Amino acid sequence: MSATPASVTTGASPRRARRLPRWSLPTLGFLGLAAAVALPWLVNGYVIALAATALVMAVLAMSAQLLVGWAGLSPLGQAGYLVVGAYMAARVATLTDLGPVQVLAATAAGAVAAAVTGSLAVRARGIPFLMVTFGLGELVHAAANQWAPGGSEGTHTAPVAALPGLPAMVRPGWVYLYVLACVLVIGAAVAVLVRTRFALLLRAVAAHEPRVQAAGHHTGRLLLAAYTIAGGIAGAAGALAIAVTRYVSPADAAMGVSALALAAALIGSGSMLGAGAGAVLLVAARDWVSGLLGGHGPTLLGLCFLLLAYLPRLRQASRTLRLPRRRT
Amino acid sequence: MGLNVLVNPYTMTALDGVAYGLLLFTIAAGLTLIVGVAGVFSMAHGTLYLAGAYLAWYLADGGWTGLALALAAAVVVGAVGGAGLAAVVRPLVDRPLGQVLATLGIAYLGADQFNQVFGAEPRSVDPPRAVAGSVALGDYQYPIYRLLFIAIGLVLVVGLFWLVERSRAGAVVRAVVADPGMAAATGLRTSAVRVGVLVGGGVLAVGAGVLGAPVIGPSPGVDTTVLAYSLIVCVVGGLGSIRGALLAALGVGQILTLGVALVPGVAAFILAAAMLVALTVRHRAALPGQPA
Amino acid sequence: MTPQQTPGRSRWRLVVAVALLAAVTACTGSSLGGADNSDEEIRIGLIVPKSGPYKSVGDDQVAGFRLALEKLGGELGGRPVKVIEADEGDGKATALASARKLIEQDKVLALVGGATADTVQTVYPLLKESGVPLIGIGGRPSTVEDPSYLWSTSWLSQETGAAIAGHLRETVGDGRVWVIGPDYIGGHDQINGFVDAFREAGGELANPGGEPAWTPWAPTPTTEFSPYLTKIKDSDAVAVYTFYAGTSAVEFVKQYRQYGVDVPLYASGFLTEGAPLAALGEQAEGIYTSLNYSTTLDNAANRDFVRRYSAANDGQLPNLFHVSAWDAVLVLDQAVTETLRGSEAVPTAGAAPASPPAGAEETGEVTSESLTAALSRIGSIDSPRGAWQFGPTNHTPVQAYYLREVAQDGQVWVNRTVQTLTTLGS
């Protein structure tokens, strides 16, 4: 490998970035993909189920990242739209066990819910936005407890079939592969989205809203559109969630889930892949490591959050998010 | 006597609402100062309350010495907690999200540690025997301690108002809130003020825990509940406003008692809806700016 | 200032994360082999709450389980036992992950646990898929389509209320009873169990509208009962029936006393079982409750059980959760003995589409299938609560329910057994 590693960056030459051969990144990406696909044959069912859960959280993290990294808004209520999507998928599951149909229905439900509640949410910025989304998430939680089928005990759903004609998937390995496929599709769609002009406008709004307004754009509508799309992605995550756990309950809308998605988005500091990776890491910490430690999941998650708060990366993400009085 | 006309299930419930509301005010006053004045978005406030409640449980001995001891311990723990919060948040001055994450992390850690140390059972705290009984109001009985708590709450309200509006310390705090740059230019130590507010808010929260333990006792999950209610009160009342926190807390107290009696099942929604309405209607006013 | 995008670094992170995950999971063993316990040891998975609102129940369950195992010398049916514990958390995602871990990674023969109906609900599909039975020792949903793999040593939520309804009807005669409970499925089951039986016996509710009062449960269970207590005082009720557990139970009784409601209080036993009684002490005096256990029951098994527990726990008294877990050990012991004795496996009753294969049952090989089959054959369990056996329909105990009164026994507050109410179970 003829990599030319730069000398340890000193203050003197900040521009000497690390240079790797051009083929290294795509190759590593391909290897990573191959590893992900081969996972079911390498590990046992428990770890595969964890991996599938991590992927679902990665999708939720992407939905949060659209708002954090692009629109400059920090949502603490994306789990609410995940639950809306999950219940919609559970509903559709009684009609058909085709996974992709459920995902589409859930995406639509999540988007609609986000559009309706977003008109309230996008009036705020910064910390008030955080609070509003927190309130909305709690509202969904309460509503699900009151009115969703199964109430606070939740409902079970039937196994999902990936394609018409295939039998419903029961083994966790197949479910994982299905979720992986869906996540790749969603990831591709998101990758296209963040390269559009719309995404650029969102970045501009995050940087300096009055300037964008002066340029003639209706920033409220732009943010609402972003919020709606994020809600749709969260809804899709909900459909995938019930494919994995075959169970949905109001507790899935708890603040802890939204906090995890937000934290993952922050780890990712402005990139979708980073948000996904962050979600994988946090789920590994919360579920897998706490499984080893025998039940101190909250402590571990707390430590993770504490550490994350100090990561210098966050400086970039939160610079786009100021307390209103400091906005210049 | 006219008392019998006044005293009926609804007024009894409303009286309870006042007690509950004042308890919420005591807790939320600390939070609104911390968020509005020190600019620290603290999700660990419920943890402070829980610490105070466990202190009360641990030191309660049925008499006044236990209570006094618990209050003294509350001041110490609150001061340490506030100072700790200041230290934790210091590198995160301009990063509200970092503050949310850090304080959330502390809250998770604290909850788990409380479980470890005090066990996961719900605990019941009794006030000193002298005030543990009930007094007859018309045909009904009312716990003496809650009446006492209303009195304490009112004293606290007056005290806080005086502190913020009439005292020099309050003037300094208001100056730092209104324009930190100018305040610093006139020689005020803004960082010291910030730490002072954090310490004061911490002491208020832990003290509220000690005094409020007979009403909202220590048990797992109380920190989340208390945090949620405090946040709602702060948001509806306006961040940094003591007056707003008082009105909002009384309102929330009534919703949680009278509202539950009149329209059960909907009370939870009313709370969430009130918060959302307040946020959207007044989101510009939800800026830290008016301390009282 | 626009947020910097760092795609290179993020791609690295993803690759690193995946690689790390793969490396680490490779260490956990990648065998796709089936569950075989060809070595002597029997592995049992104990899934209880170790975090969250039900942690104290979980601690009690573990204590009861381990105490019984100690009594049997660490063996079930003569075979050494390895117990692997896992956290069911709030009964949802954590419970599923823990159950998966126990079944697929630790390859346990059977699961024991489930403090709440939520956990049983969540884990239920996994049981069928993997053929691993669950000995439920806590709450469970009242209806389960196919209980082949679910065997409970605990209770059905409706039973506590149904047991006492007849007695209460006799006690109050024509008087009316005020009924109040928490507004969630568990609370509904408990209260409706009472209300249905009470109405059938000819009783009437004193609530306005004739329907039970439901107190808010979501987003958090309410602890402010004064609105209801003042209504109770205003009404003509001659008795109050309720169900609460945990913190709500403590606050309800406290406020019941503080607001001077002097109507006799009857309740489902959970109001004064374990932690709430310890917290309330004198304030709970005189409350009548209905439950399938009491520490003052006078039978040999209970005397032995209470003696062992007190000796190991500083003189404290056990509660129903300890007993359910204790009984789970007795059940497993009998089931393993039955399996080792060996006989043709008979698929369990009920339409079980995935009936256990009539495979490894010759000469008593202990597998999940043979264990499940054996569970349907075991007889009566000599439990501290009295003798019981599994009911054929729901696989819950057919057991006696007792009327208990909170009274002082020396220095300690206990639920003193007043009489046996009835025997319920299916």
Side-chain angles (χ1 to χ4, degrees), chain B residues 26-253:
Chain B
T26 320
I27 305 169
L31 187 61
T32 201
L33 284 180
I34 290 179
V35 178
V37 177
V40 172
F41 202 80
S42 168
M43 303 279 274
H45 208 68
T47 316
L48 288 172
Y49 176 87
L50 195 53
Y54 274 122
L55 266 179
W57 174 74
Y58 191 66
L59 295 171
D61 61 355
W64 294 100
T65 35
L67 187 62
L69 214 63
L71 276 175
V75 170
V76 170
V77 170
V80 167
L85 197 59
V88 161
V89 151
R90 191 132 179 241
L92 301 169
V93 164
D94 235 348
R95 289 144 62 173
L97 277 182
Q99 292 168 10
V100 169
L101 275 184
T103 48
L104 202 60
I106 293 176
Y108 278 6
L109 278 168
D112 210 24
Q113 291 314 305
F114 282 140
N115 268 359
Q116 288 282 92
V117 171
F118 292 106
E121 295 89 21
R123 306 284 185 194
S124 165
V125 178
D126 290 322
R129 239 166 271 124
V131 293
S134 306
V135 72
L137 287 178
D139 277 336
Y140 298 89
Q141 300 257 8
Y142 199 76
I144 299 181
Y145 188 75
R146 292 203 179 202
L147 290 173
L148 186 64
F149 193 85
I150 294 180
I152 295 177
L154 290 172
V155 166
L156 215 68
V157 168
V158 169
L160 273 173
F161 267 107
W162 178 87
L163 194 70
V164 173
E165 295 218 4
R166 297 255 183 269
S167 71
R168 188 157 183 280
V172 166
V173 163
R174 277 181 289 133
V176 170
V177 165
D179 195 338
M182 195 62 197
T186 59
L188 292 173
R189 310 245 307 278
T190 48
S191 57
V193 170
R194 196 168 278 134
V195 171
V197 166
L198 281 168
V199 165
V203 168
L204 260 180
V206 181
V210 168
L211 291 174
V215 179
I216 306 184
S219 101
V222 160
D223 49 351
T224 328
T225 318
V226 164
L227 178 69
Y229 289 152
S230 317
L231 280 178
I232 294 178
V233 166
C234 286
V235 162
V236 173
L239 294 170
S241 159
I242 300 280
R243 196 173 292 150
L246 179 63
L247 291 173
L250 288 175
V252 170

Side-chain angles (χ1 to χ4, degrees), chain C residues 97-137:
Chain C
S98 293
R100 278 236 158 82
K101 170 180 173 291
L102 289 171
I103 293 178
E104 317 227 7
Q105 190 165 309
D106 300 313
K107 308 256 194 298
V108 297
L109 270 187
L111 286 178
V112 175
T116 62
D118 279 345
T119 308
V120 175
Q121 279 262 41
T122 315
V123 163
Y124 176 69
L126 201 60
L127 304 173
K128 285 258 288 265
E129 256 171 55
S130 53
V132 171
L134 168 68
I135 316 285
I137 58 180

Side-chain angles (χ1 to χ4, degrees), chain A residues 20 25 28-29 32 35-36 39-47 49-51 69-70 138 142 145-146 150-154 156 170 172 195 203 207 244-247 249 251-252 267-271 273-274 276-277 280-281 284 288 291-292 294-295 298 313 316 319-320 322, chain C residues 1-15 17-18 20-22 24-26 28-32 50-51 85 87 90-94 96-98 100-102 104-105 107 117-118 120-126 129 140-141 183-186 189 217-219:
Chain A
L20 290 163
L25 278 176
L28 283 161
L39 210 59
W41 288 273
L42 298 175
V43 300
N44 63 44
Y46 163 64
V47 178
L50 270 189
W70 269 267
E138 287 301 309
N145 265 313
Q146 269 311 92
S152 61
E153 279 195 355
H156 282 280
V170 169
R195 283 163 176 72
R203 284 267 185 80
V244 174
T245 60
R246 303 231 300 273
Y247 174 71
S249 86
D252 296 331
I267 299 179
S269 67
S271 119
L273 273 178
V280 169
L281 283 171
W288 181 67
L292 296 176
R313 283 276 158 257
Q316 291 163 356
R319 276 218 198 108
T320 64
R322 297 155 213 249
Chain C
M1 164 152 9
T2 50
Q4 303 286 323
Q5 187 163 35
T6 51
R9 285 211 178 90
S10 311
R11 252 174 250 160
W12 265 116
R13 267 192 227 142
L14 179 64
V15 171
V18 172
L20 206 71
L21 211 60
V24 135
T25 55
T28 64
S30 52
S31 150
L32 296 169
K50 291 181 179 298
S51 63
E85 295 179 20
D87 181 15
D90 61 354
K92 310 210 165 76
T94 325
L96 198 62
S98 293
R100 278 236 158 82
K101 170 180 173 291
L102 289 171
E104 317 227 7
Q105 190 165 309
K107 308 256 194 298
D118 279 345
V120 175
Q121 279 262 41
T122 315
V123 163
Y124 176 69
L126 201 60
E129 256 171 55
R140 55 169 275 168
D183 193 6
Y184 75 109
I185 293 198
D189 283 345
W217 178 260

